């Protein structure tokens, strides 16, 4: 439980750091000081939270999968474990791809319905690609908890946060990237977490007796 709580704390700290690092790096990239606040309002205050809306579909899948995975692992039933995990990943991956497509193709009507702020639509369309790594990272993290691998999750989360924060610092300060560099950092950090979680889940499954 300590490691699981620490995982949440890491991401809370990373989100807080974003709000300090990103404006400073955008200034470094040549953004006008008076332009940064409205820019972040449209990008971080509207577009980015919208990316998380479909998580209301991912959460129930994770909640339903975790106890079944824990029970199958406890029984040593590798076949049942594999089936449940595969189905969960397929469901979450399908939601992620549909959400990314919707955000990219329907950004204007989505933003108009939610915020009545058309200026946020390009940000939502541009951020759409980070939906799959975010959703898969969340699901993979819950699988590790269900499999009793919270300690591994903590260290993988620490690696993800370090990569994310480092990339935001490096890329957001580049004039050609700016805010796009910040979203690249967030996307890569989540993709790294999703990949390492999937790898650890697979490794743990191999260790379960048939």
């Amino acid at each position: 439980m300590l490691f699981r709580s620490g995982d949440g704390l890491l991401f809370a700290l990373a989100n807080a750091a974003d709000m300090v690092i990103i404006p400073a790096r955008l200034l470094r990239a040549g953004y006008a000081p008076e332009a940064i606040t409205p820019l972040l309002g449209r990008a971080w205050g509207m577009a980015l939270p919208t990316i998380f809306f479909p998580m209301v579909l991912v959460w129930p899948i994770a909640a339903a999968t975790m106890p079944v995975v824990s029970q199958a692992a406890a029984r040593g039933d590798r076949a049942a474990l594999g089936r449940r995990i595969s189905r969960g990943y397929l469901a979450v991956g399908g939601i992620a791809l549909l959400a990314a497509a919707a955000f990219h193709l329907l950004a204007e009507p989505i933003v108009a319905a939610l915020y009545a702020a058309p200026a946020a639509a390009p940000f939502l369309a541009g951020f759409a690609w980070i939906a799959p790594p975010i959703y898969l990272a969340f699901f993979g993290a819950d699988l590790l908890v269900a499999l009793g691998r919270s300690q591994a999750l903590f260290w993988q989360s620490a690696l993800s946060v370090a990569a994310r924060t480092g990339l935001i610092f490096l890329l957001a300060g580049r004039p050609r990237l700016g805010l796009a560099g910040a979203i690249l950092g967030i996307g890569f950090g989540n993709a790294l977490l999703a990949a390492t979680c999937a790898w650890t889940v697979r490794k743990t499954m191999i260790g379960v007796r048939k």
Side-chain angles (χ1 to χ4, degrees):
M1 182 59 70
L2 176 62
F3 281 103
R4 188 66 179 110
S5 301
D7 163 62
L9 178 61
L10 284 173
F11 284 99
L13 291 173
N15 289 331
D18 288 348
M19 293 299 96
V20 176
I21 295 171
I22 293 172
R25 299 306 289 168
L26 292 179
L27 284 172
R28 175 80 175 182
Y31 285 65
E34 63 274 12
I36 291 176
T37 298
L39 180 69
L40 290 178
R42 293 190 292 269
W44 251 246
M46 298 180 187
L48 192 58
T50 304
I51 297 293
F52 287 86
F53 284 1
M55 287 290 289
V56 298
L57 301 176
V58 176
W59 288 325
I61 294 171
T65 301
M66 289 179 71
V68 178
V69 165
S70 294
Q71 292 165 12
R75 293 194 309 268
D77 190 344
R78 187 190 297 177
L81 188 63
R83 284 194 303 270
R84 190 64 186 186
I85 289 174
S86 296
R87 289 172 186 168
Y89 266 119
L90 284 173
V92 172
I95 291 169
L97 290 176
L98 288 173
F103 291 144
H104 184 72
L105 298 173
L106 303 172
E108 290 187 7
I110 290 173
V111 166
L114 292 175
Y115 308 110
F123 296 102
L124 180 59
F127 292 177
W129 69 273
I130 70 170
I134 288 174
Y135 302 175
L136 291 170
F138 174 87
F139 184 68
D142 274 359
L143 287 178
L144 290 187
V145 173
L147 291 167
R149 301 300 306 274
S150 295
Q151 184 172 353
L153 173 60
F154 175 82
W155 293 114
Q156 288 168 194
S157 297
L159 177 63
S160 166
V161 166
R164 159 192 166 144
T165 303
L167 284 173
I168 288 174
F169 183 84
L170 290 173
L171 300 179
R174 297 191 175 189
R176 289 188 177 183
L177 291 174
L179 196 60
I183 208 67
L184 280 170
I186 291 175
F188 180 83
N190 279 280
L192 179 61
L193 181 58
T196 54
C197 283
W199 180 81
T200 306
V201 166
R202 182 177 182 276
K203 184 180 177 182
T204 304
M205 283 178 56
I206 292 172
V208 172
R209 68 180 184 274
K210 296 181 180 179

